[in-house]
Amino acid sequence: MFLDFIWYTACSFIRIFQNMTPSPTIQNTLAKITNAFHGMGKKNDILMQGVSPADISAPIQMKMGNVAMELDNIFSKALSLGASDIHIEPDEDTLLLRIRVDGRFMEYGRFPNSEKAPLIAKIKILSSLKIDEQRLPQDGKATYHDAASGKNVDLRVSIIPTIYGEKVVIRLLRKESELMDLRSIGVLPMNMVKIKKHLENQFGLVLIVGPTGSGKSTTLYSMLSRFDPEEKNISTLEDPVEYRIKGVNHTQINPQIGFNFADGLRSLLRQDPDVIMVGEIRDSETARLAVEASITGHLVFSTIHANSTVNTLQRLTNLGIDPLLITSSLRLIVSQRLARKLCPHCKVAYKPDESIKKKVLSRIGKYVSDPDELMFYHALEGGCEKCGHKGHKGRTGFFEILEMTEGIEKLVLSHASKTQLEIQAVGDGMITIKDDALIKVVLGEVSLEEVLQVLGG
Ligand SMILES: [Zn+2]
């Protein structure tokens, strides 16, 4: 079955290139691949067990003709810039290649539409997808070896048909952990104290919330990496596994075969874990299991789609969790957004307008030691060499951290409004996400324009 699939893939690939009159280099490589696949008789089945199609095809494919070289260039360029994903988008007559760095698109290049078929075929082979299928969406994965860093990178490939052909998005997941500590992802010292306190608990639920691409996974992994795997049984359920932490049991869930977060969590609980990370709470059953686990001696971390810390409380209620269970399980909600950091080498200082200064000080005055000397910064247009002429370099998080205090408990149990919850949380010491962002403006890490863009007026 498995060999049939490889053979089918190879044949489809060859058919596509035959139709296109391939260059001698490609023909030569195709001959090598054909021989390689011919060499695999059925008696070699045992040898192939546990080897994914991607493992076989990746090293061969990478050396192929110009299309492969171009793809290699794209990956190298994207990785050297610290990109998170690559987008290959066809339109009527061109093929646009863009890479996303720090949340913003950079154009890699535009190619004639004739490049589309071989490039997408190449990506499909690399990620073990059906080459002949061009009408339905497909998801695949592969591993890429980045020669520059010597590290392996997991590629998550998603293909979806558009009216101009297939659009491909490749997510780059660095295998080797490049974990950052909580401070370096933008957690302020006063918030660090809250997080540390709750990480010392033996049980409870910690939720990270925010839209897609707000850095929730990075925060989760930064928290997980604070535990000693030799002292704790740490297990995760993820989709996909984005980083690997030594000593942590990472499990990839697979909804396509019916292995979802809820199934995984039920099985995991039989393995006596101390710390559990559930990639995402999407449904009532997972929410209920996560809550139950967190009140029966486990420290559970997860993410949930919600706009703010206070909204999360309502979201849990909407998922059918009894308010009493919410108050007895939930310890901490971290809401976050990502923003571009100013390049420290070329940022430009300026004295803020008096009215703006007054507004800012009315919110975060207690954190500013010398209000008269208050300076803001903005990005230098055209940047410098060190930031690739962008004026920004790297990203930081804006955070809002809500603790389950006695006051919040009472309000949750009495079904209080969002406003009441917010007032109570701030009274209990919560720094709102807007204030967290403004503190970073005063610290010179981000511009006021960026805060307005990320959080709105
Ligand atoms: Zn710069």
Side-chain angles (χ1 to χ4, degrees), residues 95 124 145 147 165 168 184 196 273 296 314 325 351 368 405 412 453:
L95 187 66
K124 285 182 175 174
H145 182 73
V168 183
S184 66
K196 274 186 186 170
T296 52
Q314 288 190 330
L325 284 177
K351 268 194 177 297
V368 180
T405 59
V412 171
Q453 194 168 12

Coordinates of all heavy atoms in Angstrom, one line a residue, residues 95 124 145 147 165 168 184 196 273 296 314 325 351 368 405 412 453:
L95 N 2.7 34.3 -10.9 CA 2.7 33.5 -9.7 C 3.5 34.3 -8.7 O 4.7 34.6 -8.8 CB 3.5 32.2 -9.9 CG 3.5 31.1 -8.8 CD1 2.1 30.6 -8.6 CD2 4.4 30.0 -9.2
K124 N 4.3 19.2 -3.8 CA 3.4 18.1 -3.4 C 4.3 16.8 -3.2 O 4.0 16.0 -2.3 CB 2.4 17.9 -4.6 CG 1.3 18.9 -4.6 CD 0.3 18.6 -5.7 CE -0.9 19.5 -5.7 NZ -1.7 19.3 -6.8
H145 N 16.2 20.3 5.5 CA 17.4 20.6 6.2 C 18.0 21.9 5.8 O 18.3 22.1 4.6 CB 18.4 19.4 5.9 CG 19.7 19.6 6.7 ND1 19.8 19.4 8.1 CD2 20.9 20.1 6.3 CE1 21.0 19.7 8.5 NE2 21.7 20.1 7.4
A147 N 20.8 24.1 5.4 CA 22.3 24.0 5.4 C 23.0 25.1 6.2 O 24.0 24.9 6.9 CB 22.8 24.0 4.0
G165 N -5.9 28.6 -9.9 CA -5.0 27.5 -9.7 C -4.8 27.3 -8.2 O -5.4 28.0 -7.4
V168 N -0.6 27.8 -2.3 CA 0.1 27.0 -1.3 C 0.6 27.9 -0.2 O 1.1 28.9 -0.4 CB 1.4 26.3 -2.0 CG1 2.1 25.4 -1.0 CG2 1.0 25.6 -3.3
S184 N 11.8 37.9 27.6 CA 12.2 38.2 26.2 C 11.1 38.2 25.2 O 11.2 38.8 24.1 CB 13.4 37.4 25.7 OG 13.0 36.1 25.6
K196 N 4.9 33.2 37.6 CA 5.7 32.3 38.4 C 5.0 31.7 39.6 O 5.0 30.5 39.9 CB 6.9 33.1 39.0 CG 8.1 33.2 38.0 CD 9.3 33.8 38.7 CE 10.4 34.0 37.7 NZ 11.5 34.9 38.3
P273 N 0.1 12.2 34.3 CA 0.9 13.4 34.1 C 0.8 14.4 35.2 O -0.2 14.5 35.9 CB 0.3 14.0 32.8 CG -1.1 13.5 32.8 CD -1.2 12.3 33.6
T296 N -8.3 17.9 39.5 CA -7.9 16.6 40.1 C -6.4 16.3 40.1 O -5.9 15.3 39.8 CB -8.6 15.4 39.3 OG1 -8.3 15.5 37.9 CG2 -10.1 15.4 39.5
Q314 N -16.5 34.3 29.7 CA -17.8 34.0 29.1 C -17.7 32.9 28.1 O -18.7 32.1 27.9 CB -18.3 35.3 28.3 CG -18.7 36.4 29.3 CD -19.3 37.5 28.6 OE1 -19.0 37.8 27.5 NE2 -20.2 38.2 29.3
L325 N -17.3 25.4 38.5 CA -16.1 24.7 38.1 C -15.0 25.7 37.5 O -13.8 25.5 37.6 CB -16.5 23.7 37.0 CG -17.1 22.4 37.5 CD1 -17.5 21.5 36.3 CD2 -16.2 21.6 38.4
K351 N 9.9 64.0 21.4 CA 9.1 64.4 22.6 C 7.7 64.3 22.2 O 7.3 65.0 21.2 CB 9.5 65.8 23.1 CG 10.6 65.8 24.1 CD 10.7 67.2 24.8 CE 11.7 67.2 25.9 NZ 11.5 66.4 27.0
V368 N 6.2 55.5 35.4 CA 7.1 56.4 34.7 C 7.9 57.2 35.8 O 7.3 57.9 36.6 CB 6.4 57.4 33.7 CG1 7.4 58.3 33.1 CG2 5.6 56.6 32.7
T405 N -9.0 35.9 41.4 CA -9.0 36.3 42.8 C -10.4 36.0 43.4 O -11.3 35.7 42.7 CB -8.8 37.8 42.9 OG1 -9.8 38.5 42.1 CG2 -7.4 38.2 42.3
V412 N -18.0 35.9 38.9 CA -18.3 34.9 37.9 C -19.5 34.1 38.4 O -20.4 33.8 37.6 CB -17.0 33.9 37.7 CG1 -17.4 32.7 36.9 CG2 -15.9 34.6 37.1
Q453 N -2.1 50.5 15.8 CA -2.4 49.5 14.8 C -2.8 48.1 15.3 O -3.7 47.5 14.8 CB -1.2 49.4 13.8 CG -1.5 48.7 12.5 CD -0.4 48.8 11.5 OE1 0.7 49.2 11.8 NE2 -0.7 48.5 10.3

